[in-house]
């Protein structure tokens, strides 16, 4: 990969909204789309992580989902209440949502259309894994390979988040930049589920960058509703024929490791990689395992298809 192969962030219109995206890697390399999770901007796919994937022969595209970062902020929907969650969990009463995961899957396809990409390798983390699963289900011809990281099928039988992680998800949004920076550090400490001093040292700078790109607490609420309103994909995932890799951490506090196991069990032929000591985050110490796994899976699928 040469230095000029990095294209700075741009905004395009796709699927009726504006999507902010950024590309690392050469134009003729295998296209690989990175889809981030709930309330997480595209920069949570770390710059260096993207660069390392590009050096493995991928044209890496990261983007802000709708309602986050520099992509379109939508309107509507009220803050999710604990009562709604209880009704969903115990009475199976559906949650109302402004949009669902299928709409976010169509955003992904819309971006690919604008960029002239007929098919790509998809790598999704958390909610991004759910979106990637939905793309593989609804637009199978557009997906060369699927990597679902720290995600799940929507199966209600998967154990819930830890109490601490659930409380973090439902906490009221911070009211100032200072409060946001403190909260950011607290949140990722919970999600990493271990001692990561090298990450904690970088958290204030990362929080500054996220804050500078713009917060949208109401949008995070709409994204959460989209996840909950979309229901279970477990039965439908049996129809996925895309080569699939499922990656999950053994100590994930937000999406129980059983969520990853359920995903792998639901997709025929899916391979499962459990990473010892990884929580609901992508710390630098796990990059070698993650990048090696994504690289070998995607290039292996490309070689089989050739």
């Amino acid at each position: 990969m040469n230095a000029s192969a990095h294209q700075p962030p741009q905004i395009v219109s796709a699927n009726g909204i504006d999507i902010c995206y950024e590309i690392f890697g050469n134009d003729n390399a295998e296209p690989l789309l990175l889809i981030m999770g709930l309330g997480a901007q595209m920069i949570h796919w770390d710059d260096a992580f993207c660069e390392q994937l590009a050096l493995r022969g991928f044209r890496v595209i990261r983007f802000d989902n709708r309602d986050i970062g520099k992509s379109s902020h939508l309107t509507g929907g009220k803050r999710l209440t604990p009562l709604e969650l209880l009704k969903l969990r115990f009475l199976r009463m559906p949650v109302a949502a402004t949009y669902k995961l299928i709409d976010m899957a169509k955003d992904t396809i819309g971006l690919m259309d604008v960029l002239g990409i007929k098919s790509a390798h998809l790598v999704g983390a958390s909610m991004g894994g759910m979106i990637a699963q939905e793309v593989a289900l609804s637009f199978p011809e557009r997906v060369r390979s699927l990597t679902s990281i720290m995600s799940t099928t929507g199966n209600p039988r998967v154990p819930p988040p830890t109490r601490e992680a659930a409380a973090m998800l439902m906490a009221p949004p911070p009211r100032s930049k200072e409060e946001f920076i403190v909260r950011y550090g607290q949140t990722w400490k919970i999600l990493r589920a271990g001692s990561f001093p090298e990450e904690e040292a970088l958290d204030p700078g990362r929080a500054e960058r996220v804050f500078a790109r713009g917060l949208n607490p109401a949008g995070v609420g709409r994204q959460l509703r989209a996840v909950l309103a979309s229901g279970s994909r477990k039965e439908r995932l049996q129809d996925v024929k895309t080569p699939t890799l499922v990656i999950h951490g053994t100590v994930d506090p937000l999406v129980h490791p059983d969520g990853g196991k359920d995903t792998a069990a639901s997709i025929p032929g899916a391979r499962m990689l459990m990473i010892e000591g990884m929580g609901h985050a992508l710390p630098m110490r796990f990059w070698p395992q993650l990048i090696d796994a994504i690289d070998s899976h995607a290039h292996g699928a490309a070689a089989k298809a050739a």
Side-chain angles (χ1 to χ4, degrees):
M1 185 185 82
N2 56 53
S4 63
H6 175 225
Q7 298 176 29
Q10 298 180 60
I11 294 177
V12 294
S13 180
N15 195 32
I17 62 167
D18 288 340
I19 297 178
C20 180
Y21 72 95
E22 186 172 8
I23 299 178
F24 301 80
N26 299 316
D27 287 348
N28 59 354
E30 289 270 330
L32 186 145
L33 263 71
L34 300 176
I35 312 175
M36 230 325 131
L38 177 73
Q41 298 181 9
M42 67 178 184
I43 58 174
H44 282 98
W45 296 109
D46 195 280
D47 297 13
F49 185 88
C50 297
E51 288 162 2
Q52 287 184 37
L53 279 171
L55 287 168
R56 300 290 185 101
F58 295 106
R59 182 187 183 202
V60 180
I61 301 142
R62 66 180 182 183
F63 64 98
D64 285 326
N65 286 311
R66 59 169 63 199
D67 255 336
I68 205 75
K70 298 285 187 182
S71 289
S72 287
H73 293 187
L74 284 74
T75 57
K78 294 178 182 173
R79 188 171 170 76
L80 194 71
T81 65
L83 181 60
E84 282 180 285
L85 284 177
L86 288 170
K87 285 179 176 177
L88 174 69
R89 185 152 191 87
F90 296 108
L91 303 176
R92 302 282 184 265
M93 289 176 69
V95 165
T98 309
Y99 51 81
K100 294 185 179 180
L101 291 175
I102 182 60
D103 299 296
M104 302 179 85
K106 288 175 180 174
D107 295 343
T108 306
I109 293 297
L111 177 60
M112 288 171 65
D113 287 344
V114 170
L115 296 176
I117 298 171
K118 287 184 180 176
S119 64
H121 302 284
L122 297 189
V123 179
S126 196
M127 180 186 73
M130 302 174 196
I131 295 167
Q133 290 170 27
E134 191 59 63
V135 176
L137 284 165
S138 302
F139 307 95
E141 72 286 354
R142 308 297 297 269
V143 188
R144 300 186 189 187
S145 74
L146 168 64
T147 301
S148 182
I149 305 175
M150 57 194 184
S151 193
T152 184
T153 60
N155 177 4
R157 289 196 172 89
V158 169
T162 64
R163 189 170 294 181
E164 197 177 25
M168 173 211 75
L169 206 59
M170 300 300 288
R175 289 162 297 190
S176 67
K177 180 180 178 180
E178 292 70 28
E179 194 179 329
F180 173 75
I181 292 171
V182 170
R183 176 81 63 83
Y184 185 96
Q186 292 169 339
T187 296
W188 285 101
K189 193 159 187 169
I190 291 167
L191 291 177
R192 289 186 199 113
S195 176
F196 294 86
E198 68 280 12
E199 300 291 336
E200 290 169 23
L202 296 174
D203 280 344
R206 289 169 173 165
E208 291 263 7
R209 192 177 176 196
V210 169
F211 190 88
R213 296 184 82 245
L215 304 184
N216 185 23
V220 179
R222 282 187 289 271
Q223 288 185 351
L224 181 55
R225 284 182 175 276
V227 170
L228 297 172
S230 294
S232 176
R233 292 168 298 287
K234 184 172 175 62
E235 299 300 322
R236 294 165 60 218
L237 286 169
Q238 294 170 17
D239 297 330
V240 171
K241 294 180 174 59
T242 305
T244 300
L245 170 66
V246 178
I247 302 175
H248 217 102
T250 58
V251 292
D252 192 325
L254 190 63
V255 178
H256 194 280
D258 284 359
K261 292 172 185 173
D262 191 52
T263 305
S266 302
I267 299 175
R271 291 192 304 115
M272 178 91 217
L273 170 63
M274 295 295 292
I275 297 185
E276 189 65 40
M278 189 172 91
H280 199 79
L282 305 171
M284 293 176 285
R285 73 173 68 157
F286 298 121
W287 287 5
Q289 283 172 273
L290 289 162
I291 290 168
D292 280 351
I294 293 167
D295 175 19
S296 61
H297 175 62
H299 281 311
K304 272 187 185 171

